[in-house]
Every structure is written in C-alpha cells, then in structure tokens.
Amino acid sequence: MVKLINFKWQQLILSLGCLLLIIGCQSLYPTTNPDAKPLKVATDPTFVPFEFQTADGKLEGFDIDLMNAIAKVAGFAIQFESLPFDGMISTLQAKRVDGAISGITITAERLKTIAFSRPYFKAGLAMSTTGYAYAVREDNQNIKDFNSLKGKKIAVQIGSTGADFAKTISNAKISTFNSGPEFFQDLLNGNVDAVVSDAFATLYAIKNGKLKGIRVVADLLTQEYYGIAMPKDSPHLDAINKGIATLLSNGTYKQIYQKWFDAEPPQLPDS
Ligand code: ARG
C-alpha cells in the first residue's frame, strides 16, 4: 500500500516537471517556431526598384527589404522564388507559394481569386495621385496625351494592370512582354510608339540612367496601391498585416522608403 502511494507521487512530480519544461521552452520562442517551414514568396525581379537582381544574382529592392522586415517582426523565415509576373496569380491560386510581393496592384478583379494584405505602397508619381506612365522616345513629339495614343503601337507587360489599361485605347496595336526591361528596349529600337506601365518604376529607371532617350508623358491616369498577394484564406494574412502595421508605426517603413525613393512616404489607407 505504502509503495503504491509513493509511486503515484513520483508520477505526479515527473508530470509536473515535464509540464514546466514545456511551458519554459514555449516562452523562450514566443513567436518563432524553429521547425516551421520558411514561407515561399514569389517575385518577378525585373521591376526596379521594387525587385531586381544584382550582377551576382542577389535579390534587391524596396519589396525585398519590406518583405524581409515583415518576416523579422512577424517571426517567420522567407524563401524567395523568382517567377514570371504573368504566372503569379495562378500560382497563388494553386497554392504553390505562400505569397507574392512584386509591385502587385490590388484590383477588384484579382480580389475575386486571391487575397491581398493591406496596401503597402501608393503607386504613382510622388506628389500626384496617379498610377501609370506613358513612356515614349524622347524624339517622339506626336504623343502628348491619352488621345494621341489611339491607333498607336503600345508595349505592355503581360498580365499587368498596364496591359488592361492599354486595351481601353481604341485601335491600339498592343505588344506584350514578359518582363519590364524588354518593352523599354523595344521602345528604344522604335518597334513600338509607347509603353504603358507603372509610373514609379518607369521614372526610377529613367532617372537612374538605364533608359536614356525615354521620357514620360506626364498625363497620368489612375491611383493604385500595391499589396502582398496570398492565396484566399491564407493563414499568414493576419501576421503579414500586423507586420506591415508594426513597420509603419516603428519607423522602419519610412527608412526603407527613403532608402529607395529619397522622399517622405505618403499616407497609406488601412485597407
Ligand atoms: N503594378 C502592375 C500590376 O500589378 C505591374 C507590376 C509588375 N511587377 C513586376 N514585378 N514585374 O499589374
């Protein structure tokens, strides 16, 4: 009888010990689960200064810095995966990646099939509220505004909001390209009359000398916001949104913005 009671006490002490050990370990790793797989995040690194590859193949850009900073505050690891822009939405739908950051504009159409984080970037010219730029060759004086694009040859990136916009220009002959730098090359070669694409990326490329001979026709159209894209019902949506909120309030967002754009970031809406 006495032996039996002793045995039970031993068991109880042992179980209590285990419990304490488990609680102790959990509080050592409050947000990070060391066994969790890194999040696979797709990006199309042909979009300076948001995502691009350096000569030695390193990924860089505003989006890359932001995503890494979100991962740090949210406590998860990331594995970037390069993917052509055109395939991004369907890859997310098929849940082959956990997310995508690629200067992706939040649109009602895209929201039908995928989810977006809260807006993380106001796209458009620094001080105005516009989204696209028409880029033309410097020596082309005929294209002055939206109306003069009618019937012209226009280059766009496949699957982009710029491509959707080009479809609304009457009689335009549209050529589609898989990546940004290619369509600017076509413009320089005189194969097309204009490029319709994101204003920030176009202006940055022109300013940094890579697109000599191209100017932006400063008649701009819509306002866009970029969001981090995820599959519908993503379990990571909440952590990513909280991460963005933290970076906006602790000054990190501003730091990253100034590093790439040398300007004060504009106010962003919550949703
Ligand atoms: N903002 C445009 C869109 O969402 C173009 C983005 C292109 N991004 C890229 N990494 N190529 O359609």
Side-chain angles (χ1 to χ4, degrees), residues 43-48 50-51 63 83-86 88 101-107 110 116 123 132 157-164 178-180 197-198 224-226:
T43 190
D44 166 32
T46 65
F47 196 60
V48 275
F50 295 92
E51 42 270 327
D63 284 352
L83 213 69
F85 188 75
D86 189 38
M88 225 153 260
I101 190 160
S102 220
I104 308 175
T105 304
I106 304 171
T107 67
R110 290 172 179 167
F116 276 101
Y132 303 105
Q157 173 155 34
I158 306 178
S160 69
T161 45
D164 290 340
N178 247 323
S179 75
S197 67
D198 296 50
E224 294 189 13
Y225 288 99
Y226 296 159

Side-chain angles (χ1 to χ4, degrees), residues 36-37 47 51 85 118 163 222 228 232 264 266 271:
K37 280 209 213 110
F47 196 60
E51 42 270 327
F85 188 75
R118 57 182 286 169
T222 57
I228 298 173
K232 264 205 188 299
E264 281 293 303
S271 59

